[in-house]
Amino acid sequence: MGGNVPLLSVDDLSVSFRTERGRAAVLDGVSFELQAGETLGLVGESGCGKSVTSLGITRLLPKPSGQIDRGSVRLDGQDLMELPAFEMQKIRGPRIGMIFQDAMTALNPVQRLSRQMDESIRLHAPTLSRAQATDRALELLTDVGIPSPELRLNDYPHQLSGGMRQRVMIAMALSAEPDLLIADEPTTALDVTVQAQILMLIKRLQAERGMAVIFITHDLGVVAQVCQRVAVMYAGRIVEQGSVASLFSDPKHPYTQGLFNSIPHLDRVPLTPLPTIEGQVPSPMDMPPGCRFAPRCQHATAACLTRPVLQSNPDRAVACHQVSL
Amino acid sequence: MSLLSVQGLSKRFAVRGGVLRGVKAWVQAVNDVSFELSAGETLGIVGESGCGKSTLGRAILQLDPPSEGQVLFQGQSQIGLSRRQLMPFRRQAQMVFQDAYEALNARHTVGRILIEPYEIHGLGSGTEREAWARDLLARVGLPAESFDRYPHEFSGGQRQRIGIARAIALNPQLLVCDEPVSALDVSVQSQIMNLLMDLQRERDLGMVFIAHDLAVVKHLSHRIAVMYLGRIVEMGPAQALFERPKHPYTRALLDAIPTVDVTTEQPLKPLEGDVPSPINMPSGCAFRTRCPYASEVCASGIPALEGSDGATAHRVACHRAAELDLSPGAS
Ligand SMILES: Nc1ncnc2c1ncn2[C@@H]1O[C@H](COP(=O)(O)OP(=O)(O)OP(=O)(O)O)[C@@H](O)[C@H]1O
Ligand SMILES: Nc1ncnc2c1ncn2[C@@H]1O[C@H](COP(=O)(O)OP(=O)(O)OP(=O)(O)O)[C@@H](O)[C@H]1O
Ligand SMILES: [Mg+2]
Ligand SMILES: [Mg+2]
């Protein structure tokens, strides 16, 4: 990987929420790096902290309940946690673009698309006239495959289909030409051919501008198509990380293995029970000591009551007492 | 008698513009859709983003009144009824919404959200309602403590499961699921799919299952309908549709399925050509602007959905269907 400074370096990021029932430690020591032009897939059980990781990086955690307990996030070597709020605001958009998981909460329900897109485009390029910004908006909507974009600009978000809203958000995030794009489930509402079109667009921007991407998704097929590396999270921690080629052909952590076993395949016998990982994710209010996957793990022993150290070689990192690299 | 019979269903929305915001055009979101669904059967619906799947689901359940057409539930028409007259249908036919957050009342705790359906329909005592609601949480794999939490305190996939719990609260006979598992990781997704298959078996539940993950749709569905720009372009038994697709759009969908195979390079396969708009429909077959097999005949009129009748019928709306062999493997 060379000795150059990574574009993004997340070190020991830990986040908790204050709730009526006490403190919920949701992220515990998340660390990873990303080079310019690289795509990292972030996968893991629903509720494991993928979205919170992206909100932590961009300092968009809900206030006052969400707080960063420890850790640093460096962009080109600069620690984002130390920046005053107004400086951080300049980072979001042109340096770090965000596609939020919940399109409806990210778009303003009472504003037409024309206004929302105009704002985000001219924030990045204040010298553009209104007409130029409209042209740019039309071009972006065409890029993401929205038909009749000139009529669509008049629409309010609720007049769009789920997948169209998602694509509008993608267009807005890309309008600022970010160095790093954090895409949280950007294609969940898209059929496979439109998804392919969006993935091609993102790949093209990476090739042209060296944009790096954190791609949060449940679709492991999409990870195989667009990511170079992948990090697997479970209950607030990264449990395994590595190149897609190596991790997909030989997943080592028992949770990763369970995840791969549950992938829906076209050749399964229809209408038969599907394999799952037995048991439930632990509550963030009551995490098991040691390895957090141990209560559901077939291979667990007494050793698993202590926290597994992260073993790593240049190709792979895994946190499990029962495997050795 | 079918559980659900949808006949010639259409739904239009006005597009407004100009200074006076007058109607400039119409979005033809759903166009002349017909199908039958039996108790215990699942009809999968797939199609391009924006092709009208959610609108169809909402129109079936009378959440948005259809512009034209008929919806029969257990033989009874549900069109043009008052709120009160719709109550029995509402109790037996439920929807899992694509946008879970929008569908849940943000100011209510999860417990209250799950108890509400029993209150509306006057079922059970206070303690019974609470016990039922807690049982629902367990069935969708959420911890008991979720009962006292608010929707914003959950992750996307956890919220989706709250929506599913609410939809099954009243033991419906018909469930319209709009992308119910796309926000879930594959293991929780399998749990929820197992739950839906169990419910179907226990209660003879009929399901309309909208999703874009074709492996998921194939696993759960007895029959599948493929939609393009508001119309059903192909419909048939799940197995047949995957093995012998008859519409070029279906074939394009099958070709674009990503797999987890990292040993071979997977090219991305979007559709080429101009994206047609539901506001300004092309003449003839709506797919012809992007279809690799389009010829003159395709501009000549809207192809009808043709083929034999009955539960095992495999029907297609394509002018050139008889000439084309689109089975995977054939080129
Ligand atoms: N505002 C909040 N208050 C309290 N807990 C929260 C809040 N937001 C998130 N959480 C909790 O933090 C954990 C991580 O949530 P996060 O949204 O990051 O999950 P995720 O990995 O993105 O899941 P999904 O795949 O379902 O979107 C979950 O257990 C969730 O319940
Ligand atoms: N309330 C509305 N007002 C105006 N147009 C609408 C409204 N609801 C939906 N539409 C339009 O109807 C068409 C079909 O939308 P629908 O949400 O049914 O698509 P979909 O197939 O569910 O797509 P997706 O897969 O992206 O969710 C779209 O062009 C959409 O913009
Ligand atoms: Mg999330
Ligand atoms: Mg939809």
Side-chain angles (χ1 to χ4, degrees):
Chain A
M1 273 193 190
N4 45 348
V5 182
L7 174 70
L8 180 77
S9 150
V10 176
D11 187 35
D12 197 30
L13 185 64
S14 304
V15 170
S16 62
F17 287 100
R18 253 180 297 136
T19 73
E20 283 166 24
R21 299 158 313 282
R23 202 171 136 271
V26 162
L27 282 196
D28 181 26
V30 167
S31 305
F32 61 88
E33 286 184 353
L34 195 64
Q35 305 290 335
E38 193 180 26
T39 305
L40 172 76
L42 195 54
V43 305
E45 178 125 0
S46 167
C48 69
K50 303 178 295 294
S51 298
V52 169
T53 301
S54 66
L55 297 177
I57 292 171
T58 48
R59 287 178 43 191
L60 288 173
L61 289 165
K63 282 177 193 153
S65 65
Q67 90 186 47
I68 293 176
D69 299 328
R70 295 194 308 277
S72 70
V73 175
R74 287 174 198 281
L75 187 70
D76 278 331
Q78 181 183 41
D79 191 344
L80 299 183
M81 298 297 132
E82 310 277 290
L83 286 183
F86 76 97
E87 291 286 343
M88 191 61 209
Q89 203 143 27
K90 291 191 220 156
I91 299 276
R92 289 191 288 261
R95 305 276 346 255
I96 307 183
M98 272 290 289
I99 299 168
F100 293 92
Q101 183 170 13
D102 233 314
M104 244 356 216
T105 45
L107 293 171
N108 185 336
V110 297
Q111 269 183 16
R112 291 178 201 283
L113 293 189
S114 49
R115 169 116 177 255
Q116 301 190 45
M117 290 203 68
D118 185 80
E119 265 172 27
S120 89
I121 289 167
R122 288 207 284 176
L123 193 69
H124 171 60
T127 56
L128 290 188
S129 69
R130 177 152 247 155
Q132 285 170 319
T134 304
D135 285 345
R136 178 86 181 110
L138 291 176
E139 189 187 326
L140 286 160
L141 290 179
T142 309
D143 275 348
V144 296
I146 305 261
S148 305
E150 61 299 336
L151 289 171
R152 288 302 182 179
L153 278 178
N154 275 317
D155 280 354
Y156 292 99
H158 79 268
Q159 294 175 300
L160 303 179
S161 80
M164 289 165 141
R165 278 177 215 155
Q166 237 176 1
R167 286 179 278 161
V168 166
M169 285 214 310
I170 294 170
M172 282 175 31
L174 295 178
S175 72
E177 309 197 332
D179 302 321
L180 167 66
L181 177 70
I182 304 182
D184 194 353
E185 301 279 5
T187 61
T188 41
L190 304 180
D191 65 279
V192 285
T193 64
V194 172
Q195 171 171 284
Q197 181 180 357
I198 297 294
L199 299 180
M200 265 174 112
L201 174 67
I202 291 177
K203 277 191 157 176
R204 192 185 86 213
L205 296 176
Q206 290 189 275
E208 283 171 12
R209 298 207 310 258
M211 178 174 78
V213 180
I214 298 177
F215 206 108
I216 301 175
T217 180
H218 291 305
D219 191 330
L220 296 162
V222 169
V223 174
Q225 278 184 326
V226 298
C227 300
Q228 286 90 52
R229 283 191 307 125
V230 57
V232 182
M233 285 184 73
Y234 185 80
R237 293 176 182 162
I238 293 181
V239 295
E240 185 163 9
Q241 202 175 153
S243 72
V244 168
S246 119
L247 193 145
F248 273 52
S249 38
D250 178 25
K252 295 212 185 280
H253 194 283
Y255 172 67
T256 317
Q257 292 174 350
L259 198 63
F260 275 80
N261 281 337
S262 321
I263 295 175
H265 284 293
L266 285 167
D267 42 19
R268 282 201 207 281
V269 181
L271 299 162
T272 52
L274 293 162
T276 61
I277 302 172
E278 288 293 311
Q280 275 192 14
V281 259
S283 151
M285 321 281 292
D286 185 24
M287 287 291 184
C291 171
R292 291 178 170 178
F293 187 61
R296 300 171 77 183
C297 182
Q298 302 167 12
H299 310 286
T301 64
C304 304
L305 292 171
T306 59
R307 184 169 181 167
V309 292
L310 190 74
Q311 316 168 47
S312 64
N313 65 31
D315 204 34
R316 189 79 68 89
V318 61
C320 172
H321 288 291
Q322 309 302 329
V323 297
S324 47
L325 277 181
Chain B
M1 182 180 58
S2 335
L3 176 70
L4 175 73
S5 170
V6 174
Q7 300 165 2
L9 203 68
S10 296
K11 176 76 186 175
R12 286 184 289 280
F13 296 102
V15 179
R16 291 172 193 280
V19 195
L20 296 174
R21 303 249 158 252
V23 176
K24 263 177 98 175
W26 294 92
V27 179
Q28 188 71 47
V30 174
N31 211 331
D32 195 15
V33 165
S34 303
F35 63 85
E36 305 281 318
L37 182 79
S38 311
E41 187 187 32
T42 300
L43 176 72
I45 298 191
V46 300
E48 186 161 46
S49 168
C51 74
K53 304 178 296 295
S54 301
T55 305
L56 174 63
R58 298 177 62 89
I60 291 170
L61 294 185
Q62 308 301 310
L63 299 170
D64 279 331
S67 311
E68 270 150 40
Q70 188 52 267
V71 174
L72 303 178
F73 179 72
Q74 295 173 335
Q76 304 273 308
S77 170
Q78 305 298 328
I79 300 288
L81 300 186
S82 68
R83 269 179 89 100
R84 255 197 64 213
Q85 289 169 318
L86 268 175
M87 283 288 267
F89 181 52
R90 285 275 145 81
R91 181 168 160 189
Q92 301 202 61
Q94 292 285 324
M95 181 139 180
V96 178
F97 292 92
Q98 182 170 16
D99 199 320
Y101 198 58
E102 202 188 0
L104 300 173
N105 189 329
R107 284 166 315 200
H108 289 179
T109 60
V110 170
R112 181 140 174 229
I113 288 170
L114 295 180
I115 284 172
E116 195 180 57
Y118 303 121
E119 283 173 356
I120 293 175
H121 293 275
L123 302 170
S125 65
T127 41
E128 277 173 323
R129 288 172 189 165
E130 182 174 332
W132 291 337
R134 289 188 185 277
D135 182 52
L136 287 171
L137 281 178
R139 293 209 75 168
V140 297
L142 287 173
E145 62 173 48
S146 313
F147 197 84
D148 299 311
R149 293 167 64 184
Y150 292 88
H152 74 266
E153 296 177 56
F154 290 86
S155 78
Q158 292 167 334
R159 281 202 285 263
Q160 186 59 274
R161 281 181 272 170
I162 300 167
I164 293 169
R166 189 186 149 102
I168 62 175
L170 295 171
N171 291 340
Q173 281 301 110
L174 171 66
L175 203 53
V176 176
C177 300
D178 194 357
E179 300 278 8
V181 295
S182 58
L184 307 175
D185 66 277
V186 286
S187 156
V188 175
Q189 175 175 300
S190 299
Q191 268 173 38
I192 295 294
M193 286 166 65
N194 289 343
L195 169 66
L196 292 174
M197 288 186 285
D198 286 347
L199 289 175
Q200 179 161 62
R201 225 169 294 125
E202 284 165 23
R203 300 176 191 162
D204 225 15
L205 179 70
M207 275 199 282
V208 175
F209 193 91
I210 302 167
H212 75 95
D213 186 324
L214 292 150
V216 165
V217 173
K218 183 175 183 218
H219 194 83
L220 279 186
S221 306
H222 301 88
R223 284 186 304 142
I224 295 175
V226 181
M227 284 180 74
Y228 191 80
L229 228 60
R231 291 178 187 273
I232 294 181
V233 295
E234 181 167 358
M235 179 154 62
Q239 189 88 5
L241 194 122
F242 274 82
E243 281 169 10
R244 294 179 301 283
K246 293 186 175 186
H247 197 284
Y249 176 63
T250 311
R251 175 65 202 267
L253 280 181
L254 301 186
D255 283 346
I257 301 174
T259 73
V260 289
D261 181 6
V262 288
T263 53
T264 50
E265 175 80 11
Q266 285 186 60
L268 293 167
K269 290 190 179 155
L271 283 165
E272 310 282 330
D274 290 339
V275 190
S277 161
I279 302 171
N280 194 355
M281 296 270 195
S283 64
C285 170
F287 188 57
R288 74 184 164 88
T289 56
R290 310 170 84 183
C291 181
Y293 307 100
S295 66
E296 261 166 56
V297 57
C298 304
S300 68
I302 297 167
L305 191 63
E306 281 172 344
S308 55
D309 274 342
T312 58
H314 186 171
R315 296 189 290 158
V316 63
C318 169
H319 288 300
R320 301 196 55 198
E323 310 159 49
L324 301 175
D325 179 7
L326 300 174
S327 310
S331 56

